[in-house]
Amino acid sequence: MADRLSWWVIPGALVVLLRVATLAAPTPEPEVDSVAAPATVGSGHVVVRDASGERSVPIPAVDLVRNPFVLTVPADFVGQSGSMTLWRRLSSGREATPWLEVRPRVRSDATIPISGLTPGRYDVELRFDNGGSLPCLLRADDLVAPGHVSLVPALPASPVR
């Protein structure tokens, strides 16, 4: 077996020799092709692209964070991601299609902030796929946005007799 592997000694020695020879060589500096604009220069506006690919008109960045819609969840869900669906509420009830579907992560302060949501009334459902003993569905109906709202565990449906 040693006779069949002896021919690897010379190529292996060459690889080691080349690496030792390049250890002392300085690393080349990357070439700079373009100069980035400084981050302080800007118009203070944001262009948003929605799911259809359409771009919005420029929105002042201050408007996106001025009046957030903040959802508070039980502290047991901190750090977990869930599937959240928001339906816009009309005078006749909930719209048939969801207004927004996202997969947010609960922040360390047990909140989920949503900025830039159109003011109005909404129904919210938040599902967690954790399979544990915790309730997996949190919901609240007829919420006013912007504002601060607490999501509560949905009560299981009572058995039909």
Side-chain angles (χ1 to χ4, degrees):
M1 177 101 174
D3 296 335
R4 285 185 271 169
L5 296 176
S6 63
W7 66 275
W8 278 100
V9 172
I10 293 174
L14 287 174
V15 169
V16 170
L17 180 65
L18 286 174
R19 180 62 188 134
V20 169
T22 59
L23 282 177
T27 57
E29 292 294 323
E31 294 181 18
V32 178
D33 292 335
S34 63
V35 177
T40 57
V41 177
S43 64
H45 287 73
V46 176
V47 175
V48 179
R49 180 176 285 178
D50 64 9
S52 68
E54 296 293 321
R55 291 180 181 222
S56 71
V57 296
I59 303 168
V62 178
D63 289 349
L64 291 177
V65 294
R66 182 176 296 144
N67 295 319
F69 183 54
V70 180
L71 303 172
T72 304
V73 299
D76 299 333
F77 295 105
V78 168
Q80 295 184 27
S81 293
S83 299
M84 183 167 60
T85 307
L86 277 85
W87 289 273
R88 194 159 185 182
R89 193 91 168 160
L90 304 173
S91 59
S92 60
R94 176 192 287 185
E95 282 187 342
T97 57
W99 183 259
L100 179 67
E101 291 178 323
V102 293
R103 185 148 179 85
R105 180 177 298 274
V106 179
R107 294 177 13 174
S108 62
D109 59 352
T111 61
I112 301 172
I114 303 172
S115 295
L117 189 63
T118 305
R121 299 183 94 66
Y122 294 91
D123 293 346
V124 179
E125 278 189 8
L126 180 58
R127 291 186 183 277
F128 291 100
D129 302 327
N130 58 3
S133 61
L134 298 173
C136 294
L137 176 66
L138 304 174
R139 74 179 296 171
D141 293 332
D142 202 20
L143 306 173
V144 177
H148 293 271
V149 178
S150 294
L151 293 179
V152 296
L155 297 175
S158 59
V160 178
R161 294 184 183 186

